[in-house]
Each structure stands twice: as C-alpha cells, then as structure tokens.
Amino acid sequence: MGNSYAGQLRTTRFEEVLHSSIEASLRSNTVVPRPVFSQLYLEAENHPTSQNAGRTENEEDEEEDGSESNSPPIPYQMKTPPEGSCTTDGFCQAGKDLRLGSMATDSLEVPPGFLLVGAKSPSIPDHILVCAVDRRFIPDERGHNALLGFAGNCMGCGEKGFRYFTEFSHHINLKLTTQPKKQKHLKHYLLRNTQGQLVKGPLICWKGIDNRVRQTGPVGFTGANGGEDHLNGPHPTETHTASGHSALSTANCTDPVGPLHLPENPHALTNGNHCPPSQQALQQPGVASHGRPSVIGTITNAGPPKKRHKGWSPESSSANDAAAKAVSTATTGPRSDNGVPVSVSQGSPPTLASGESVTVPENLVQTCKLQPVIFKGHGNLPVLCGNTAEVQVSALLQACYRNSQALPRVYEQYGAAPIQPLSTEMQILLTVYYLVQLGSHQMPLVEDLEQIFMRSWRESHLTEIRQYQQTRPQIPPQLPGLAQPLTPSQLPWLARLAASSCGDGVLVLDTAASLTDGLRDTFQRLVDGKLAQTNYVVIICMGKSQDIESCVVVTGKHQTRALAESMLSPGDNLKAISYEVYSGMTTELRAYFNSLGPDGDMESLLEKASAESSGHFSLSSSQESVGDSPKPTCSEYHAEWHEIRAIQLAVARKLLSHVCAIADSSTQNLDLGSFDKVEFLICVPPSEVTFQQIILHLWNSGVLHELGLDQECLSLKQVEQYVVKLDQDAVEKIDSLIQKSKMNPYTLYILVHDHAHWDLSSAHYSGGGGSREGLVDSLLNCRQIRDAPNILTLHVTSFPFALQTQYTRVSPYNEIHWPSTFNNDVDLYNEKTKYFGISELLDSTHTGAGLPLLRFDSSFENMAAAVEDRFPKLHSAVIRTHILLQHYSVALMVASGQSHLQKHTSVETLEIVQCLLSSAQRCPSNHGHMVLLRVPSPALALVTQQRLTHVRDKLGLQNQFEVVLGNPTSALSLGKHFLDQLKVWMKVQDPDWTPRTYLELEALPCILILTGMEPLGESLPRSLKYCDLRVISSAFLQRTPLEQELGLAAYLVKAGARDPHDPRDPRAPTTGSDLSESDPEKLCSTDNEEEEVVVDVNSDLPGLDPSPPPASQHSQSDGSILDPEKPQPPPQLLPDPRDPNRAAPAATTGPPLPSGGRPSPRRRARPRRAPPRCASGARGRERNPPARWCCCSRASGADAGRQPGLPKSTSLLPHAAVEWASSFRPLLSKIMTCTEQSLYYRQWTVPRPNHMDSSNRAEGRTDNFHPRRLLLSGPPQVGKTGAYLQFLGILSRMLIRLMQVDIYDEEDINCSDKLPLVQYHQAGVTWPSTDILRSMSFDYTIHDPKYEGISLIYSPEHTPAEEGNPRRQEDVYLRRRTSRIKLSKYAAYNTYHHCEQCHQYMGFNPRYQLYESTLHTFTFSHLLLGEEIQLYFIIPKSKEHHFAFSQPGGQLESLRLPLASDWNPDCIKSPIFTPTTGRHEHGLFNLYHAMDGAAHLHILVIKEYEMAVYKKYWPNHIMLVLPTTFNGAGIGAAHFLIKELSYHNLELERSRRVEHGSRAQDVWPFIILADDSCVMWNALDVDPKSGSKGTERNVSLKQVLQHMESSADITQYGLCGLRKWSSRYGNQTGRHREPFSRGHLHDFLLLNVDLTQNVQYNQNRFTCDDVDFNLRAHSAGLLVCRFNNFSVMKKQITIGGYRTFIVKTKMTDVPTTVQPSQYICAPDSKHTFLSTPAQLLLEKYLQHTSHKLFPLSAHCYSHPVLSVDCYLNLGPEVTVCFVSSRPHSINLSTTDLLFGGLLLYFCDSFVTPGFLKKFHFLQGATLCVICPNRSSLRQTVVRLELEDEWRFRLSDEFQTANAKEDQPLFFLTGKHI
C-alpha cells in the first residue's frame, strides 16, 4: 500500500528497449505486442489482461519483498495440521464451529480493543468465519492507520494470542493455496442488530479511500464513451472501462441487514469505525480466481513507501485498451449499474506533465460542501496530490473530443475527399455554449454534446458531404455562424462572451499559463467561496507549444452530488444507503427535521395531535360530500384473472404465426408436425409477488386444462411447478426441463422468460456464491437449451431495448410488438378500452387544460436542495426519503385537524393524503384508494413503513388505511383489521388466507411502499390513484430505468366516458390512440401486468375519479367536495382553467402547448347530480375515468421535457448494459414505429462486455440469431401475460390440429336392409377362401360415398330407395362428411413432416449430401396406343438397387420383382404406384412411418410438366414421368400406363429370372395402386369364438400388405382391396359384415397384372375409371376380393388431384362459366370451342344431361340404360345396366328386362348385330352411339345394322365443343322404333 518510484526512466537505453520489444513481438504468440513506451517506466505490477482480470479488488494486495510483479504467483503449501486436529471447513482445529450462521445467536466475549470480523475461506465461499482481531491491525474508516502485523483470537475454542495471520489461518482451516494475508481474507465487520443477532456488516476498507479509484458513471456526461478517474497520488491514472451495468452488482440487491427491524430512533452499530460502502472497495463476488484484478487506477497516498509494500502501476498501456474494454468494469469492481460509464481512456495514455503537480486542499468537501469533478479535455492534466480523495477526474469529455475527430473518416470511407475535423478551438467553444444553455439543475449528457459536435461539423462542411449523407440532416442548434475558421486568439474572448449570458453559472479561466495554474486558481476560488454560484469552470490555456489545453471543473453542488452518487452502481448505492441508515449517520438529519415544526419539536406536535384526535378521525370535506343522503350498499368485487380480450387473442395468434413461420422455413429448426404435446415453464424475476401473480394468472386462465395438465395441478401449490423464480433454486427446475426435453422428443417445451430485461449480465462476468447476476444467462442461454430442437424460448418484456443490439440473439423477424387498438379513432378490436401509459402521461403536460397527470413538486425539490446543501455527506436518497416522510407526517396531521402545519408540507402531498383518507370515508364499505411510494432502498423503505405506521397510529388512523411494505424478497403482510376487510369483500372463507399479490389489495385504502432496485413485474390494482416517485434520483437517466419507474402509473380504462384530461370532447375517450406503433414511447413500463385490470368508467366509484382537495383554504388544488344535492359540476381531478377560484398551483402547471401540437379547447363539465357511491368497487359504476397521476422528481420527470434541454427518454442510452456503437448516428425519432425502433437499436447499440449477448457473435454461426427464440414486447398493464398464456393454449390446439387430419367419415351408400343375411365365412377367419368367394355373388352396387352422385348400376338383388338423390358429384365433393382423427404412429405424411427418423428417407436432412438422381428412359409398345411409348424414370442413387441395368452402358432394363416364394418380415414384395398431380406438397408420399420402417418400393407417377417440382419436394423418391401427350389426360391414362408398364415389366422379369433358373410363374405378379390421399390403415378386431366385432385399431401399412400378400392362393385373385373406413361401420348390417366380399374396389388396390392382362383401364377416362375397370374385370371372370377387416382412411385434400380440370374457352385462358349444354355442338357449326379435353366434355355432358337424353330411364330403376362394355356416369337420375360383349363373360340375366336406352361407347368387333338383338327396349327408347370421329360413327351404324330398329335424324348428330385439331368426339342419338 506504499509507493514505489514509478514514472522514472529505466537505465536501459531507448534503442535497446526498442530492439528488445521488436524481438519479443516477433517471438510472441499474442496478437497485440507489448507497447514499447510502456516499458520505459517502472512497472511494479502486472497490467490486467484477459487472463488476470478476474479477481476482486480486495484481492489486490501487496506481495512479499523480492516477488517480482510479472512473475507467476508463488505456490503456497499449508503446514500439516497437528495429528488428531479437526480439518473440517468452517471449524477450527479444535473442532469448534466458526460459521456465522451457527454463531449468530451465541453470546461471545470480545476482549477490549478487539473487533469481530468475518473471514472468507475459498473452500466454503458461502460462509463467513467469525474471528476476533485487535482493532489496531484493522484500518480505520478511511483505510488508514492499520499497523503491520496481526493479533487475533479464535472465537470457537477461545484460544488467544495468535501473532501471525499465517498461524491463525492454519488454526481456522482456511486451507489457502496462496500466501495468507489478512487483507485478502478478513472481509467484513460483524455487527449485532436490534434482535441481538450477529450479522455481516460493511466491508473492511483495506485500501484507503485516498488510494483507490472511485470508478463512477456520472450523470453529467453520461454516455457510451465515458468514465471517471479518481486521482489520489502524485500521478494521475485512468481506468479503462466502458459504461454500463456492473455484472457484479446484484440486480435485485438488498442490504445484508435490510430485513432487520429498525427502532424509531436507530442507534449506531458500534463494532469499530466503518467507512460507508460508497467509500469502500465493495466486494465483487464470484469473479475468476486466477490472475490480477484490472484495477488500473489504484493510486496510493502521497506518503513515503512502507517497508513491506511495493509500488503501484502508473497506468495501463494503450495496448491494453481493447482488453480493458473487453473486460470492462465487470471484472474491475465498482461499476455503474445504471449504464453510466466509469472512466474510459481511448488511444495511447496521456503523457504526464513532468515536474508539475497540483495539491488538492485539505477538508475541501467540508469547506465547500461539494466534491468537485474534473473533466479532462485537451492536453495533459497535471498530477494531483494531497487530498485527492475529495476530487474526481473523468475522461468522458476527452473521449467525446476524440470521437468527434473520427467523424470525417465516416465519410471518407465512401470515397470522399479528406475533410478536416472540428478544430480544438471549436470543440472548446461548443462545449462552453452547451454548458451555458444547461439549467441550474440539469446534467450535461455526452449524447447531447456529441450531437452538437456532429451537427456543427456537418454544417460547416455541408457542401462536401451532402452527396455522402446517409441520414436526413438534423437541424443544427443555434450556434454562432463563423464565416472564417476560429483562431486560437479568438477563442478566449468568444468563450467569455458566451459565458457572460448565464451570469456566474459558467466561469471561463483563460489567463492561466498552464492547466496547473488554472486548477490551483480554481481550488483557491472554491476554498474562498468565490464559486458558490458557479456550476462549471472552463480552463483554457495557450501552451508554450501553441497547443491549446483545456479542462472543465464541475463545481455546482447539485451536479457534483449527482456525479458522486452516479459513480456507484445501483447495488452499491443501496449498500451505501443501508450503511448510512444502520450506522446511525441519519441521527443528525432526523434531529434536524424534528426541529422544523412551529414549536421546534415535531414529535411533541405529533403527541399533541394524538391526544387531540383521541382515536377519532373526521374529515369535514368527506362529511360534506356524504351529507344526509343514504349510503347505498357497495357491491362486492374480485380480481378478474381469466378475462381474455380480443387484442390479447390477436397477439397470441401473431405469436403462433411466428412459430409457424419458423417451422415453415427451410432451415428446419422447428418440426411442429412431430410434436403432440405442449409443456411450458415461466421464468420470472425473484419477486414473491410476481411469482404468485403469475401462478394466479395460470390457475384461472384455463391453460392447464387445454394442455391436459389440470389433473396434475389440483391446487395452487401444484401450479408452482410451471413457474420459477430466477434465483439459485431455478437451476434445478431448468435442469429438469432440459432432461425432460431429452426424454420426450415429441413434446414441445415453451420457456417463457417474463420481464426479460431483468438481469442481462453475462455469466462469464457474474459473481459466484450467492450472486444472482448472470444466472439468467447461464440458465436460459446454455448450450443444452440452445441446441434442444424441442425447446422454444419466448422473451416477454416492456423494455426490449437492451435485447435489440448488434449481437442480439433474437431475429428481427421473430419480434412481436403489441399492436395498436385504435386507428384514426376507430376501435380495431371493439374492446372499448383505452390504454393510459407514459405517452398519455406526457401528453397531459402539454394540453394546457389543467393539472397534468405527471406533476413536479417544486416545494419538495427546493427543500431537498436546501437540505442536501446542509448535509453534503449523506446520500440524496436518504435526504429525499426523510423529506418525504416529513411531508406525509405533516399532511396526516393537517388532515387530522392541525391546519396550522399546512405550510410545512406540499400541496401535492396534502392532496394525496386527503384523497387517501376521504375515499374510504365516503364509501359505505370503506373501499378506498392506493398510494404508491417508490423507495428503491430496502433499508429506507423499512424506515418509511415504520415511520408512517408510527404517525398513523399516533393520530388514531390505524383503521383508516394500511401501510404495506412491498419487498420483492418477502410476502405481503397486513394488519388483522384490513385482512378481515379483504376477506369480507372477497368472500374468502379460508381463515389462513392472506393476499399474495398487489392485485388482491384492490379497493384497500393503503400506502404501498414499493422497494427494490427496480420494479420486477408486479401488477398494481385498479384502485391505485397516486404514484409518488419523488425519491427517485438522477441515477435513472437511461431509457429503461426511467420509463420503468414512470410506467408504474400505466393502466387500462374503459372508453366511452368523459376523460377529464382530453379537452377535445367531454364525452370523448381518453387521449389519442394507445399503443400505436408510431409512438415509440408507448413501449415503456413494468412487465407482468394484470391485463384484466380494466377500469369501468361507468362504475359507481366517485372516489376514484376526483382528487379530494386539501381541507385548508390555502390549498390551490381542487376545491371542496361538492354537495350532491346541489346542482354543481362533479368533482374533477383537473380544475377548470377558467375558474380563478380553482387555479392550479404554479409548481404543477404544464408548459404551454408546443407549436404543432393539437389545439386544446377548454370546456366546463356539465352540471349534474350524483348520489354518493362506492369509492373503489369493481362492480359499481364510475362517472369519470380514475386517472392516476404521478408525482415525480426532476430526474424521473425528465421525459416530460418540462425544462429546456431535458431530453426525451428515447434520446437516452437505452440501457446500462449497452453502449452506442458510434457517436455518429441519427437521433431516434418519435414517429418511429416499434419495428423501426428495434432496427435502430440493432444498428446503433452494442452490448457491453458484461452483457449476456456480448459473446454471441463469437459462437461460430453465420448469424447471431437463435432460431427458436421469440421476443414479445408491449406496454405495461396491457395484457402480455394473458396473451402469452393464450398463446400456449392455441399452440397446443394447433399441435393437436397438426396431429389430426380430416378423414372422410361417411356411411356406405345404396345399402339395403332387405338383403338375406347369409354368413359365408366363419367368425374370425383370417384369410379368404377362393371357393367361398366364388360362391358369393358379385355386388354390382356402388357403396363408396364419393360416388353418391353417379348413376346406379342395375342389379336384381338391389332395391333402390324411393326418394332420389339430386346432389351432383361436384356438390358431394365439397360437402362430404369428415371427422378429425389424430394421426397414429403409422400414418403417411406430406412434405411438411420432418422428423429425425424419416429425414434420410425424405432426403431433406442437411447433414446428408443432397440426393443425386439419374434420368432413365424406358420404351415399350402397346396395340391400343399404336406406337412405342417412351417413359422416363427418375431414380435416386440410393434406389438403383430396385432396378436391373444392362452391364455395358447402364441402360435401364427392368424393375426388379421378387419371387412369390420370397418372404422377408421387413420387406414388402409389391411395388407401390401412386399417380398424382398438383399435390407435390400435400400428397401423402412419405410412407416411412406407415411402413414401420419396412423396405418397400414406392413410385410416384407424375406428369411431365410437374417433374421439376415433384423432384424438388421429394428428392429421394422414384418417379415415373408420363409422356408429353398425357399432360392433359385424366386418371384413366395414368392407371392404364401403370398397369401396362407393369405387365411389360413382368414379362421382362420372367425372362430374366428364367435365365437365372427360376420359373416364369414364380415371379411376383402384383402391384399396388394407391391413391395419394391414403393416410392411415386400420384393422378390425373380431372375437374368433363369438364373431362379435371389436374396435378398430391403427395398424401399419406393412402389416396390412404382408397379411394380404401371404393369403393362400393369392395369385388366383385378379384384384384385392380394402374397405373404406367409416366410424359407423359396426352399425351396418348385411354382407358388409362378412370379413371378405366381392364388389367394387377403390383407392387402394392389390392388382394382379398377370391375370388382368386382357382387361385394361380406359386411357381416355377422367371419372369413374375404377368402376368401369371393376365391372370389366368381374365380367372377365376374375376373382375380386375385398378385405373388410382392414380399412383405409382417406384424408381430405382440397388441393390438386385429378378432379381439378377447369372448363374454359379456346379464346382465353381465363376460366369462364360454361353451361353443360354448351359442351356439345352440331358438327361444322360456328360454336365457341372449348380448350378442355373432348373426353372430359363428353363425360361432364352425359353426367348433367342424360336425364334428358334418356327420358324413359330417368328415375326408373326397372328400365335402365344398357351400356355395352363400359360404364359411363349418366347422372344420379339414370340407372345403367352393364353388359360385356366378350365371349364367356359373366353378365346379369336380362331376359325379362326392358331397357329405356342403349349406350354404345367406342364399340369394338365383339359388339355385333346379333349380340344387340338379345336385348329388349321400350318403344321410344334412346340410342346414343359415341365414336372418335364422324367416319367411324357412320361405319358403326352400318356395321351394327342400327337403322333396322332405330330411327335417326340429321339433327341428332353432335360433337364435343372442341376444335378440329383437338380431336372432338362425335355421337349420334336415335329413337327405338
């Protein structure tokens, strides 16, 4: 702790140093070599590096003599303990417990002259060991006067006389690995609280205050590049840190002795002389133990060096700047948590002025009542010596100057010519101008000065930079226009001229020869009292080298105090406040306030008032307001937790759409289709109220029921498993979530991070032990959560600014901003609610229509300024809190009748208190208002509660209102009287019930003292009337903390009633539009709001709307409460400005309406009568909105812009944990939307090193965004909690919806109950028998519901229903019945399904190489086609083993087929062909799960023009591409080619197998024709004994096919199929109960291509081709079998398919409405031709007009139309009788049947005149002959001798409406003679 001879040059010559440095640089592995010039000075200690920047400042102690600073630490081996001694951590060697927790209540004997101190052991960092040490060896409160050596006693075993700390450390088992030193391991004083318990006290100040840097973040010149130096030695140093949050100060810090009970007059704790933490090196827990702390600015005192102490490091070299910035203050100790920088040094370190020093006068603070701050400017600052502890030095201004020099380089990078930066003279002059324009209580901001520099420079070089301007030019400030450059000689008098405009506020010293003389002169003026009215002294010196030197000395009392307090982080501020409170330093302050009464004794006045009140309280105004009118009963109220508003649902859907967008992206980061369940965990800050609040939200939201978790949560206690406080206990829950996510890959876990802007500290810079900082980073940003594919993180916050940086983890596309509910005064969501947030509060200050909602208490501020001057050493928060207590105490006494005390309180305080008391008096149920006091310090909050409770009880008001302490670390506590009231109001029967949230304090008259460094998301009730923020200090000048405090007043109000703060319309809703994205200040306030807290403007709550006036005549606020019987206007919160008797106080009136603002017409409210009603019930009606108003300090009210120069919150640094990326940036505009603000912050802010996102860029990804992370931002009290809970519910429903599909669920049609119930098969038979099947008759009737609109097929066994079915096929298709069925694990999927199991099957897995495919041609000929057909196969490399290729050349030869005797349990023998069109995305081609992983061959049959898109979506599938001529063909062509190709391939395979020794008939002849919408397959369980049918269960397609393929004599079947699934199948009767039947087969066929060789599909057909094929296959004698115990489910797919042909004209491609009658025309007519295929036109024409074409068969089942060799759909009105002309074919008996018509379609040679003469027709029956052309039509008529029995006319010949080149079809009609 002594000095070394730093600063002296080494004896080594400069050349040798330079040579050594170059050589070391060449040999070094480090990126940045050590600077040469830093080696020219003695370096007694190592400079901090990235490896040695991790130890706390208390570990920065002296090394033993002979230990070089740059040598590694000497390893230390502890002496072996005596044999048999105890070695347990926390116990001494005698086995006695030394831990503080165990000895807290023990009675300990401390020898005189000894102090109890706490020792820290590295092996048990969470415990403190109790020791007794001689006070002579402990430093005093300033860190001085500690003797060398040690003397201590063991408090466990009582052993005394330890003379060496090494010996003592052995005895207490510290188990050290380094040399034991008392400075390292004796940490805390130990004190006893009022309960007598031993507790941890302040830190021991081992390093003197005058030898350490008080690193600060000044309010003055706060910004991104700033800092403070604290020079305490002969040489100055700079701390190389960046501004921002200290990652080492607890974000929710409470004093260690905060929960202690404080007496009314707390006495000082007397365990030694303790310096307050604000003047100590506050311990930074949990930093890395290796290396040295980067306390660069530590300076020792000016005395001679002590013998055992070594020197200090003068400064960090410039080479360490980058490293210092990287580690910043997160590793170096005192760091501003509010974003204010400590001290920044940029560039190379300044050279010290040789031989010049300035001595700081002694007792400077005591003399001047302030601690001056020196801002370094230009040149070298002289060395400060002497009393340097009372002077602070900052490099912020110097950094600002240097930043302005970089402005030209921004333009030069665009190719502009070199532009000169601002000159030094202009920088100084602009600085003077800026300081002059500041108000007396304003703080300079570095952001403002940077903008001034930028505007001035840009203005002076406008012509040169205009073409390179990237942003819209800002209007420059009113600066002197200098036509010529400013010369050094002009600078002094111009600066003096500028300073003269503000009187003595700014003093310019330009006569000094050097900065040394200027500082001496300044110090002398301070001591002499000549700067009492001066806030800033600007020293300008013209050096001998003609270089200008400058600095700024801050001498204003307000400014210097704010700087001193802002130097500490919020956590350190709270510790300093706690020390002042608990050490008795406030005794003098309390005595001072006690003497401010009229008689000089406030306590005696309180006693007098107590005696006069005698427990009776009456308020004249309240009595008058009640009058003699009857008191109506007040309806009960309750907190509404479950109401979901329309906007919340809209936000939930926006969240859902973003999740779907992630799933739909090509990155495959989220596979929604694979999840079947949603679980969640909500993380909240460590606030008990917030925790319970979310639990009640969750319990009442119904989300647990929707997610199926309600059975697990039968009580609120069980709900706690889904909500976690982010403290040390959260580690277990997060780990459990990670483990569950691994064990349940099909469950999607949503991790909701509520109040996400809390604790942004990096885990790498956080403290260990009990520190909470960095916990969020270590838990939510860990690799397990980041990489888990089924964990999605949702951040929810009202302040997203710090999460929107250049290194953010959230993609801008994944941000969801709360939408605006109003657009042009139109309620978009019809909610009839308005949001009152910060923007509305600020707008009320500009309307000029009355008192603003955001008020400024000038009397309070004036008193605070006066008392702060009187007590310069006390923290301003302590002073302001005691002033507030004084005001409230006096106001309570005034309300109790002591009106003569009114002048001792403020108007605002009196109004608050009287409203609080009168509201409950006027309500028959004693409902009242809540008053919120924001006191961040827990220690002061406890003092406030005790004092207000004491005054209340003394005045007999204990039953009028409650004083509630809102501490985030503890639950709420209420008195019995008020607890009983709440139980009655809420109808609670539980005797043990207590309120757990502030929302449950609804209508309770109370003062809520909200403590903690920041609000942690606690929602406030509707009855909150006043928010008192007067204690909030100037340390909140960042956007997030400032808006967070102001946002406590935000609330929702029902629209439609008169708003007293909107002067435009007495009946208009509240001001303007809420939540508009065009207003950036809407995104501000607290989180975790109660979204249902909506105040009904029509409720009968008069106490909530007006603010009751003071009882005294001197009050200048509202008048007395109006008598309801008198025709007077209702009471108003805002007075009528036209009424002189109701004038607003001068201190609270807002500024005039700014130019450009909206007009504010002033109107008087209409007089009306209103009976007295309840003051705060939720069920009543209210006349006016209960406008909350906020009483704030200068700092918290800065956003209102009440004084010139105060910035809007949006221009401030957004958060302490971030910094501006550049001073050259555009200003944030108020008209920016939330999205634009996000992009602005993403571009212009970067996280500080202690920010958890600072390491995000270094994680090796191409982008910084986490793929499964969302950010929801929205204003407070607006409903974010309900929105994301609703999101969880609809997400679960969507996943269930994704796991469900619409399955066609229709009963079979055309079923008759009159069929004989003959059981052909025995119950439980597994496979069909060919003999039994042949004995069964073929069922000609079609039962598939999809064919409900087609012609019936005549069958003698079928009796049709009497009523006809007029529905057309298109209508049936659109209106078919479906059921929602959950997908089983054996389902087929479309392309949207991605899971790990089938990624390789699909070919989409990015880990696999993109699948390569080859195109092969396959040619075969067919008689019906008349030419060779060339098909294309697209075969992936992985599927080539299914094909045979010729060895030389690799020509495709055939598709390999297995033998019938082959059997493989994991293989399907039959190739699967799926014809498809238009369904590349929605077709169910992924059969991996359906096949249960079995090997199979699946071929997609596609059209040529769709080849590319199908190949893109299904790269690992085999595709058969149809010829070009089939692009316009229907499903019949695809079936035809599949079957004919398969037969041709069968012949090829037989030939190939024969060559290999197999028999031709042994080759497997079956293929599968499957529709592209088959999704699942079921099996019907049948009892083999009783034959009763059980339930259907899902089975794999593999099981179905293997069962069918293993049937006996399977090769004898021509066609096999499955039943169509129906949920009512078990209720049907008849032969459908047979396990096997003969009938029509659809959609899924096992086709024997060998037996069906001579039965082809009709290649021309578009519809009903399967019905046609079934009839012809049966007539050919083939065995058709349907497996009824298996069923296939078909998914409803409304996109694509073979039904999507559109009829359009030839002239245009635009679809037009064409009637079916226009589908045909007379040959050679001038009819409009259609571009639709001729076959489709024919089929559609017959379908719609056959009832006219065959009138005798219409609705006449007994006279069907005879259709030869084909089936065509003639519409539901006409019955068709199918017959085959083939020899030996099986036909119905038609002997006694008279036909109503004859249909001949493309007759072949088997149709002869003799064949037709077998049938009998009705007279007048219709003949229709269809042929491909007119020639064949005439030939057919002649060949069949049709003119013998049929009469034809020339007008009966028709053709389809096709052009000649489109080959129309022709048909001829005639009548039977």
Side-chain angles (χ1 to χ4, degrees), residues 184-197:
K184 292 183 179 180
H185 304 291
L186 299 182
K187 295 293 187 182
H188 295 271
Y189 295 103
L190 301 182
L191 311 174
R192 290 197 182 273
N193 57 20
T194 54
Q195 285 79 24
Q197 294 180 335

Side-chain angles (χ1 to χ4, degrees), residues 444 447 497 596 656 867 946 1085 1110 1155 1447 1746:
E447 288 91 345
L497 179 63
L596 292 181
L656 184 65
V867 178
Q946 294 174 356
S1085 177
S1155 60
Q1447 289 303 323
S1746 290

Side-chain angles (χ1 to χ4, degrees), residues 651-823:
V651 172
R653 288 171 176 164
K654 287 182 67 175
L655 283 168
L656 184 65
S657 67
H658 279 73
V659 172
C660 294
I662 296 175
D664 292 341
S665 67
S666 60
T667 57
Q668 302 176 15
N669 288 311
L670 190 65
D671 180 17
L672 286 180
S674 64
F675 302 125
D676 55 8
K677 185 181 180 183
V678 173
E679 289 194 15
F680 64 93
L681 184 65
I682 302 174
C683 303
V684 298
S687 167
E688 182 64 25
V689 171
T690 303
F691 178 71
Q692 297 294 337
Q693 175 180 301
I694 298 297
I695 288 176
L696 288 173
H697 269 300
L698 190 55
W699 175 260
N700 294 279
S701 65
V703 171
L704 295 174
H705 175 72
E706 286 198 49
L707 270 59
L709 306 174
D710 52 337
Q711 298 301 322
E712 305 174 11
C713 302
L714 302 178
S715 66
L716 284 173
K717 190 68 177 176
Q718 293 173 313
V719 179
E720 293 181 5
Q721 63 180 308
Y722 298 105
V723 185
V724 58
K725 288 187 288 187
L726 288 172
D727 51 21
Q728 293 300 328
D729 296 335
V731 178
E732 182 179 352
K733 281 193 174 182
I734 297 295
D735 289 342
S736 174
L737 176 74
I738 294 173
Q739 294 304 318
K740 287 196 297 183
S741 70
K742 294 178 179 178
M743 293 185 295
N744 302 290
Y746 299 110
T747 299
L748 177 61
Y749 292 88
I750 307 297
L751 188 60
V752 181
H753 181 202
D754 211 339
H755 210 72
H757 62 276
W758 177 82
D759 187 12
L760 300 174
S761 304
S762 170
H764 303 290
Y765 288 83
S766 63
S771 174
R772 287 178 181 152
E773 289 195 351
L775 185 64
V776 174
D777 184 30
S778 62
L779 293 180
L780 303 188
N781 294 329
C782 65
R783 184 172 296 276
Q784 293 90 333
I785 288 183
R786 187 190 67 187
D787 296 341
N790 57 338
I791 296 181
L792 187 144
T793 305
L794 171 62
H795 300 285
V796 182
T797 178
S798 290
F799 312 101
F801 324 121
L803 299 175
Q804 298 164 335
T805 67
Q806 291 183 2
Y807 296 175
T808 181
R809 300 172 191 266
V810 183
S811 168
Y813 301 105
N814 288 347
E815 284 191 23
I816 299 92
H817 306 289
W818 199 268
S820 173
T821 56
F822 279 80
N823 184 16

Side-chain angles (χ1 to χ4, degrees), residues 1089-1164:
E1089 62 287 340
E1090 164 55 39
E1091 61 277 350
E1092 289 81 18
V1093 180
V1094 180
V1095 182
D1096 189 350
V1097 297
N1098 296 320
S1099 58
D1100 299 330
L1101 307 177
L1104 278 181
D1105 13 307
S1107 296
S1112 170
Q1113 297 293 330
H1114 299 282
S1115 171
Q1116 292 184 346
S1117 64
D1118 294 347
S1120 60
I1121 300 299
L1122 302 177
D1123 188 345
E1125 299 300 324
K1126 297 178 182 180
Q1128 295 177 338
Q1132 300 179 8
L1133 173 64
L1134 299 184
D1136 190 333
R1138 297 184 299 178
D1139 190 346
N1141 296 326
R1142 296 174 59 84
T1148 59
T1149 55
L1153 184 68
S1155 60
R1158 64 171 182 265
S1160 303
R1162 302 179 177 181
R1163 304 181 182 181
R1164 185 187 299 272

